[in-house]
Amino acid sequence: MHSIASYFKPDASGADPKQASFIPSLKLNDGHDIPMLAYGLGTKASKTKTTKSDDIINPTVAAIKAGYFHLDGAESYGNEEELGAAIKKSGVARERLFVTTKTSCREGVTIEEAFSASLAKLKLDYVDLYLIHSPFWAKSPQDLQRAWAEMEAIKESGRAKSIGVSNYLQEHLETTLQTARVPPAVNQIEYHPYLQHGDLVDFCRKNEIAVEAYAPLTAVTKATGGPVEPIYQVLARKYGVSEGEIALRWCLDQGIIAITTSSNELRLQTYMRNIPAFKLTPKEVDDIAKAGQGKHFRGFWGAQFSDDDRR
């Protein structure tokens, strides 16, 4: 086992967390802490006409009780009411939780209106992190800048402790930073060995914007059979963990926050137990990254990109 005795809190610079007996938190550029492993109520847990609320609430309660105090939701998932109900049902004190939701920037709806509606559905007085879900709705750079000014007003009100973005490329971040009084604290992106986004992660680090990975298990789930698979298998045997745990640890060991959407209670408990118990070496992290360059796979927002666009 690659063990490092000392422990310090990583930050948005990309510093990797040292090995500890718990999931570490990362220090954001505004001074707030964010747990580096999150439970996501993403597309798998989205509310549809046939979805029973308990099928969303109960797995979320189980995740919270397993120690997932970082909960990632969004307006577009249609399950903010269920997330709020799960928080209440869990019995865990609000101040122990880190709650994220996102705005879709729907036409004709101000971000303030969307945010107020989200808080009402969540039945919360504040969220820990509020994100613009994507930049692709914007028709001009000025649209992105106006939206960010609305986000800054929400942060100033105290109802969102931190604000950030999701699915932003470097060009969108540059546009936002041109007029921002408060820089984004987070950029949440699809991130795994087969989608490393070129220079985007380095750009975020240079600007102290924390990177948060959704779909980090893609090479184990949706894109199996690629060049990373044999490396995952070897490392899983070496550390006595699953390939999924290798995939999550790969993110953490780059100073990247990781989101899992598993609804399997036993798997969630195992992640929380096993992931703090080992750490990849720098060479193993690099080997996975280099192997991942041999395949390209994008699971989300594909309509916005050409097939060979790796940004």
Side-chain angles (χ1 to χ4, degrees):
M1 180 183 295
H2 181 58
S3 177
I4 300 178
S6 62
Y7 171 75
F8 73 101
K9 191 181 296 297
D11 57 30
S13 68
D16 64 320
K18 306 308 179 185
Q19 189 170 350
S21 60
F22 52 87
I23 297 295
S25 293
L26 181 146
K27 183 71 72 176
L28 296 174
N29 60 19
D30 58 12
H32 293 297
D33 294 335
I34 181 171
M36 291 191 71
L37 185 61
Y39 177 74
L41 287 85
T43 51
K44 285 176 61 177
S46 292
K47 186 73 177 292
T48 67
K49 291 181 180 179
T50 59
T51 306
K52 294 179 181 178
S53 290
D54 283 348
D55 291 339
I56 299 171
I57 294 171
N58 291 339
T60 305
V61 171
I64 296 171
K65 290 186 175 181
Y68 293 80
F69 293 165
H70 178 179
L71 306 168
D72 182 83
E75 167 190 30
S76 66
Y77 304 155
N79 56 19
E80 288 173 313
E81 290 180 350
E82 285 75 16
L83 173 54
I87 289 169
K88 182 177 180 180
K89 187 176 179 180
S90 74
V92 173
R94 171 66 184 93
E95 59 269 20
R96 295 186 66 191
L97 301 175
F98 188 102
V99 180
T100 299
T101 195
K102 312 176 190 75
T103 176
S104 299
C105 295
R106 290 172 291 130
E107 188 172 359
V109 180
T110 66
I111 292 180
E112 169 60 38
E113 290 168 342
F115 181 68
S116 295
S118 289
L119 280 186
K121 291 174 183 176
L122 290 164
K123 291 185 169 58
L124 297 177
D125 296 326
Y126 71 94
V127 296
D128 298 273
L129 179 61
Y130 193 47
L131 303 178
I132 294 177
H133 206 149
S134 90
F136 304 122
W137 57 273
K139 298 177 182 176
S140 69
Q142 291 73 31
D143 285 345
L144 292 177
Q145 293 168 342
R146 283 191 290 267
W148 189 249
E150 290 187 73
M151 296 287 284
E152 291 175 325
I154 288 171
K155 178 175 171 61
E156 288 172 3
S157 77
R159 293 170 296 153
K161 291 186 176 183
S162 300
I163 52 175
V165 296
S166 183
N167 299 297
Y168 272 44
L169 303 178
Q170 181 171 330
E171 63 199 68
H172 305 122
L173 292 171
E174 288 173 336
T175 294
T176 298
L177 290 169
Q178 284 173 6
T179 57
R181 292 179 293 109
V182 177
V186 168
N187 186 17
Q188 185 183 120
I189 56 175
E190 179 182 352
Y191 185 82
H192 47 78
Y194 301 143
L195 186 59
Q196 298 180 52
H197 296 278
D199 296 329
L200 178 60
V201 172
D202 284 342
F203 178 85
C204 289
R205 287 171 175 163
K206 288 175 184 175
N207 287 275
E208 298 185 332
I209 300 170
V211 177
E212 188 171 10
Y214 68 84
L217 275 71
T218 293
V220 178
T221 56
K222 295 182 179 179
T224 57
V228 165
E229 190 166 289
I231 300 176
Y232 277 179
Q233 291 170 350
V234 168
L235 294 176
R237 288 193 296 270
K238 173 182 175 180
Y239 291 110
V241 298
S242 70
E243 293 174 37
E245 286 155 354
I246 297 296
L248 291 169
R249 190 74 226 191
W250 180 72
C251 291
L252 269 58
D253 285 339
Q254 298 176 78
I256 293 174
I257 303 149
I259 302 172
T260 178
T261 58
S262 176
S263 58
N264 183 299
E265 185 174 355
L266 179 59
R267 185 177 298 124
L268 289 171
Q269 292 171 348
T270 303
Y271 286 169
M272 194 58 68
R273 181 179 66 250
N274 287 352
I275 289 173
F278 77 102
K279 180 174 168 53
L280 301 174
T281 68
K283 183 179 184 302
E284 289 165 349
V285 171
D286 191 51
D287 286 346
I288 292 170
K290 287 179 178 176
Q293 298 293 342
K295 180 174 179 175
H296 173 58
F297 183 91
R298 188 188 302 274
F300 298 87
W301 302 98
Q304 303 294 333
F305 299 89
S306 61
D307 291 343
D308 59 351
D309 191 336
R310 297 188 176 217
R311 290 179 300 161

